[in-house]
């Protein structure tokens, strides 16, 4: 992280607030992210960005970016210990 910040500063790129991403993966199916995203929304957690891919073999991966301060609340909403 330090090298990234140093390079950004050297290039004159202003970095924004740090966020955290939650990784989801599993069997690809229509609407697979609806349930976890709905749970996060119901808990009042803002999702800043989503990046998702399909591996082509029936699997998917997705990252949902949230504020670092919402991690505990997100874990509770998603039933993660």
């Amino acid at each position: 992280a330090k090298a990234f910040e140093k390079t950004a500063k050297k290039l004159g790129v202003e970095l924004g607030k740090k966020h955290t991403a939650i990784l989801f993966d599993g069997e690809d199916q229509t609407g697979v992210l609806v349930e976890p995203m709905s749970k996060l929304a119901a808990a009042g957690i803002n999702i800043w960005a989503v990046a998702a891919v399909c591996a082509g073999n029936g699997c998917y991966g997705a990252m949902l970016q949230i504020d670092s301060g919402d991690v505990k609340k997100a874990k509770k909403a998603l039933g993660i210990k």
Side-chain angles (χ1 to χ4, degrees):
K2 295 274 185 199
F4 177 77
E5 291 170 356
K6 183 177 178 181
T7 302
K9 185 175 182 177
K10 183 178 179 180
L11 295 172
V13 175
E14 185 177 333
L15 299 177
K17 182 179 173 184
K18 291 183 182 181
H19 295 277
T20 299
I22 302 170
L23 174 65
F24 293 88
D25 65 350
E27 183 180 335
D28 190 20
Q29 56 187 346
T30 302
V32 72
L33 293 175
V34 171
E35 183 181 347
M37 291 177 76
S38 295
K39 288 179 179 181
L40 294 172
I45 298 168
N46 188 42
I47 299 170
W48 290 94
V50 176
V53 296
C54 176
N57 62 353
C59 297
Y60 81 98
M63 292 187 300
L64 279 61
Q65 184 182 15
I66 62 171
D67 278 327
S68 297
D70 285 336
V71 171
K72 286 183 182 180
K73 193 166 42 166
K75 288 172 90 174
K76 183 177 179 181
L78 296 170
I80 300 169
K81 294 182 179 184

